[in-house]
Amino acid sequence: MGLTGVTLLVTLMVVAAVTLPANACLPADQAALMDIKAALKEPYLGIFNTWTGSNCCQGWYGVSCDPTTQRVADIVLRGESEDPIYEKAGRSGYMTGSLSPSLCKLDKLTTLIVADWKDISGEIPACVTSLPDLRILELIGNKITGQIPENIGQLSKLTVLNLADNKICGSIPASIVNLGKLKHLDLSNNQLSGEIPSDIGKLGMMSRALLNKNELTGAIPNSITQLRRLADLDLSMNQITGSLPAQLGSMPVLSTLNLDSNQISSSIPTNLLSSSGLNILNLSRNSLEGELPDVFCSKTYFTHLDLSYNNLRGSVPKSLSSAKYIGHLDLSHNHLCGPIPNGSPFDHLEASSFSNNDCLCGSPLRTC
């Protein structure tokens, strides 16, 4: 090709680029969005009425595109929102239908949020694990069934996985521990069974792990204490057995630990009550045994400490009176004995905090 031919070709390419619609999405992306729309029904707000026209990068509710590539990057559809469309309708969102596998054709998707629509059912498309750039997957508050895709660990860029408040069953996939960038994991209020992966400690970036209100069994993996960034751990309302890992109280930033309503049967590790970082600790409704460690000190700061409905024996630790702050304390329904110490925090606690201690040995628990 001569110089004139090259010049002509470059000119034609420039003209074509200039005449393309600004921020226009690819026809393939638009077709995938239309499949998603066809699989869902939203009868009250008219959200999908905006999904019309030839440019899905502009004016399509909840859809946004990468400004450079014009590829669909984010789908954010929340049934609970402060958006004016909800205020005008005077109601929250409601949607039926299911998630179309065509969403997997949006291979530049970074965010997929279809949350709090109450009646979306069906399964999570298994192909979602093939989306290489996905960072946020949030499907909370629907009626999604089936299992978590087995290859969920392939989503190497995922930072948020929130599937809470659905009807998801089966076990937690072993591959989940490969999500090296995961920070927020919420699988609460589902029907998950089986054990927590033993090597969950590989999720070194995780700061929140909420697995409560499921049917999980087995013991708390010791590797969970390796999560140095974990601030919030909730395994309550499962069927977890075994003992409390000894190093739970040594986790550097753990501030909230909810393990209530399980079948844990060990004694309470000393460092769990002497931790200066924990401020919410709920171990109630288990089968914990032994005496309460007398290890509270001036750095102890519990806004909520609940050890009720266990098999704890011995006396109420006198060192509790040296704690910096104890907001709510519940030691009821154990086998504690002897006097309740004087002073703070005991002078502002309800009598119910110590009720129903039958004291199988010694004198009954009583106020001095």
Side-chain angles (χ1 to χ4, degrees), residues 128-129 137 148-156 158 161 163 173 175-176 179:
V128 75
T129 63
L137 178 58
I148 300 171
E150 191 64 31
N151 296 324
I152 194 75
Q154 292 180 178
L155 296 174
S156 60
L158 202 67
L161 177 60
L163 307 177
S175 73
I176 203 168
L179 298 176

Side-chain angles (χ1 to χ4, degrees), residues 56-71:
C56 65
C57 290
Q58 186 172 355
W60 287 38
Y61 187 92
V63 177
S64 60
C65 300
D66 184 292
T68 302
T69 64
Q70 315 308 325
R71 298 296 307 278

